[in-house]
Amino acid sequence: MTHSLLLRWAAALWIALTGAATAQSFSEQVAGIYTTAPDFDFAVQLTLWPDGDGFAGDALIAAARYPVYGEQDGPALRGVFDVDGTLQRFTFLPSKSGQVAMQFSGEPAPILMTRAALPGFTGRFAGEFGVVTVRNRDGRLVADWIDTSGDAHVGTGTSQGLRIAFPDLPASIYFEPQKAAYYLDLPNYFGTVSRRAVPLRLGPDESADFKTLASALDAAPKGSTIEIMPGTYSGAAQASKQVKLEGFGQLGDVVLTADSGTVLHWTANGGSLRNVAIRVPENGIGVDLNDGTMSVLGATVTSATGAVGIAATGSGALSVKTTTLSGGDHGIKATDFTGQLTVADITASDTAKSILSVENTPPTTEIKIEGSRFSNSASNALRLKDVGKVLVSNNTISDVRVGLHHSGGNYAHIEANTLSNIGAHGIWFEGQHADSIHLSDNKIDEVAQACLLLNSLTFPERGVGLRGNQFHNCNRIAVAVVGEDTVANSAGLVLQDEAHHGSATHLAVYAPVPVKLERVQFKTSSGPGVVLGDGATLTAKETKVLGSGEAGIVAVGKEINVILDNTQVSASGKSGIVLSGSVIAQINDAVVSNNQSHGIELHQGTQIGGFANNAVSNNQGAGILVSGVVFAPDGGNEISGNVEGDIKRQ
């Protein structure tokens, strides 16, 4: 290299640094120079910036811009350089003087390539190519690649001079003798690469650290990850330290099982189980969480007769997501569990008892069941007994005896669920509830008995509220309030903006409970639309009862109160409104029309506290049938067009 050549390089470098393009850098201004290969006697200017875990930039070479790509390797930046369409490897080395050297090896890179340091022949790197892991197994190099579709590929290294190749893998290892350094080369890929910790390996082949799950869990340090290679692993195991268990390959390639008892006992405070299939033996437990915290993600749990897929007791927390559970007695069962339970996006089915059962949790315990699918159980989809705070939302429940059976708790919010083909009741509440019960935007269809059953319920402090629900084709009753042990309060039951149709009866209240209807539409029932028994109170505002097979509203019994305000009762198969017994009623601004018998029947014991501005017309019987009652309507009523007269007294 001559003195004149150095001067020519220096001049070119000065022009590049003082030209239109001002260099930027991650540490002051960066100038680049050239070195060993005579083909590269030109000035270089770099603009570098962080790009994830790598660096990218531009090079100004002979007044033309070329891309520079690199991967940070300790103090150096290594990568490839595009020179007139030919990719060359380079090393970018900072120096103490503030100048840097850009060394071109003169070795053409066959294609775009990223290089990452590989200390001790061990490392894991991830990028858009997937994940490549290299391990040293007793002097042999074993590499695996999880491609972008999740498929696993494993290869053993074969030496080719200074390079070790892995057949069918997108990587090789290059040794630089002058630096005594190893690098993982990734041909066909150019972009950022992130370094990850190398996990422990459980598997049947030479790439594995352990052959059994029990030995891996015993040896694993706290916080480590254990990768499980495809295969079936039999035998009980216990996780007492925080650890991540991750199955390799497609779901179902890794199977955990046991001949009897529990497959995996978990007492660790933290960790997860991902992408594995668990086969639970007869009367056994798949995962038994006891005073621990864990997540189950992307798993399948198949249970034999009498078994439980996932069980939880004691303190801690359990999260089950994107998992499929089937068979056995229960998919998930939590008893005396004081921690948070989260269930999201699971599919659970085919159990002999309740698919998900939770019993005896403190009032502050949170239970979230979201976005999941429950089906095919001879019992309940969800069974909750004496539990804390419950949120059940956006689930699909079908082909079970009871959708949700909830007896005793703090508060329950049931939102945007879809229930269909239910053998008994859609949603069933009973027992003592402390704070509130709220149902909104649920769709319940094809139920053999009640869509919503409130049976012997001690009403919560803030009552029971329904808003925006749609109950269809409830073969007996859409909303039933029954039970001699019912304890109500002034908050009672409130229905707002509801739309129910096609049931035998839309609303039946056989308990001393105040019920408020606001903007509710009951349409098409085979029996009476609304039935009120002893002690019931009904306040209806802006409500419609249309197309009842029998009477629209029937109140027969003792100490019943009825207030109808701006309510329509029309097209009933019998009379529109029937009041009999010890009933106190106020009917104002109502429309009672086109009923097949009388518009309104007032029988002995009924007291009318107000009757004004009503329209009673076009009924096939009398407009108002008065039997044994003193009836003197207030002003503003329009009673006309009724076949048997407007007011008929008996």
Side-chain angles (χ1 to χ4, degrees), residues 212-564:
T212 68
L213 179 58
S215 61
L217 288 171
D218 287 343
K222 180 180 179 181
S224 60
T225 297
I226 300 175
E227 284 186 343
I228 310 175
M229 297 299 289
T232 298
Y233 303 86
S234 182
Q238 177 167 342
S240 58
K241 296 166 286 186
Q242 180 182 346
V243 66
K244 294 181 180 179
L245 300 177
E246 298 188 356
F248 233 61
Q250 300 296 319
L251 181 59
D253 289 350
V254 174
V255 178
L256 307 181
T257 188
D259 293 333
S260 62
T262 298
V263 178
L264 178 60
H265 188 64
W266 196 286
T267 58
N269 185 21
S272 61
L273 178 67
R274 183 191 299 268
N275 195 39
V276 302
I278 300 176
R279 295 177 185 167
V280 189
E282 186 173 342
N283 299 316
I285 299 174
V287 178
D288 187 8
L289 176 67
N290 189 346
D291 291 324
T293 300
M294 74 173 303
S295 298
V296 179
L297 305 164
T300 62
V301 183
T302 305
S303 300
T305 302
V308 175
I310 301 173
T313 58
S315 61
L318 172 63
S319 173
V320 183
K321 298 181 179 180
T322 59
T323 291
T324 299
L325 303 102
S326 62
D329 276 358
H330 305 281
I332 300 174
K333 183 178 182 180
T335 305
D336 300 320
F337 186 60
T338 62
Q340 179 170 313
L341 172 63
T342 301
V343 175
D345 192 21
I346 75 166
T347 299
S349 64
D350 300 292
T351 60
K353 299 180 181 179
S354 300
I355 299 175
L356 188 154
S357 175
V358 184
E359 185 173 347
N360 296 332
T361 71
T364 56
T365 297
E366 294 185 355
I367 300 168
K368 296 181 180 180
I369 306 168
E370 302 172 309
S372 297
R373 297 151 296 282
F374 302 91
S375 63
N376 298 317
S377 173
S379 184
N380 311 291
L382 310 177
R383 180 67 172 102
L384 308 175
K385 182 179 180 181
D386 297 327
V387 296
K389 303 175 180 179
V390 174
L391 171 63
V392 179
S393 65
N394 295 290
N395 301 286
T396 300
I397 299 174
S398 64
D399 299 295
V400 297
R401 183 176 178 274
V402 176
L404 166 62
H405 186 183
H406 192 341
S407 54
N410 188 356
Y411 74 70
H413 288 198
I414 316 299
E415 302 173 357
N417 301 283
T418 300
L419 289 76
S420 62
N421 298 318
I422 308 299
H425 308 300
I427 299 176
W428 177 1
F429 282 96
E430 64 180 344
Q432 184 170 351
H433 292 257
D435 186 272
S436 63
I437 297 172
H438 181 73
L439 286 78
S440 63
D441 300 314
N442 299 286
K443 295 181 180 179
I444 305 179
D445 192 7
E446 297 293 345
V447 176
Q449 296 185 33
C451 282
L452 173 62
L453 173 62
L454 306 179
N455 179 35
S456 296
L457 178 69
T458 298
F459 273 67
E461 180 181 350
R462 293 193 289 167
V464 178
L466 279 68
R467 182 187 290 272
N469 300 286
Q470 299 179 38
F471 296 168
H472 302 158
N473 302 312
C474 310
N475 286 347
R476 294 190 63 182
I477 303 170
V479 179
V481 184
V482 299
E484 60 182 15
D485 294 328
T486 298
V487 178
N489 55 27
S490 58
L493 171 65
V494 178
L495 285 73
Q496 297 175 311
D497 303 304
E498 298 275 298
H500 302 179
H501 72 74
S503 299
T505 294
H506 299 298
L507 173 65
V509 183
Y510 291 109
V513 174
V515 178
K516 297 179 181 179
L517 308 179
E518 297 179 1
R519 300 175 302 280
V520 173
Q521 180 169 297
F522 294 143
K523 186 176 181 180
T524 312
S525 63
S526 59
V530 176
V531 178
L532 306 175
D534 292 347
T537 296
L538 174 67
T539 302
K541 184 177 182 180
E542 299 180 34
T543 290
K544 296 180 179 181
V545 183
L546 309 175
S548 302
E550 297 180 14
I553 298 176
V554 179
V556 178
K558 301 176 182 179
E559 299 179 356
I560 301 174
N561 290 274
V562 178
I563 301 173
L564 304 180

Side-chain angles (χ1 to χ4, degrees), residues 10-23 29-31 43-45 60:
L13 176 62
W14 174 256
I15 293 172
L17 293 177
T18 57
T22 303
Q29 179 170 289
V30 177
V44 177
Q45 176 180 337
L60 183 63

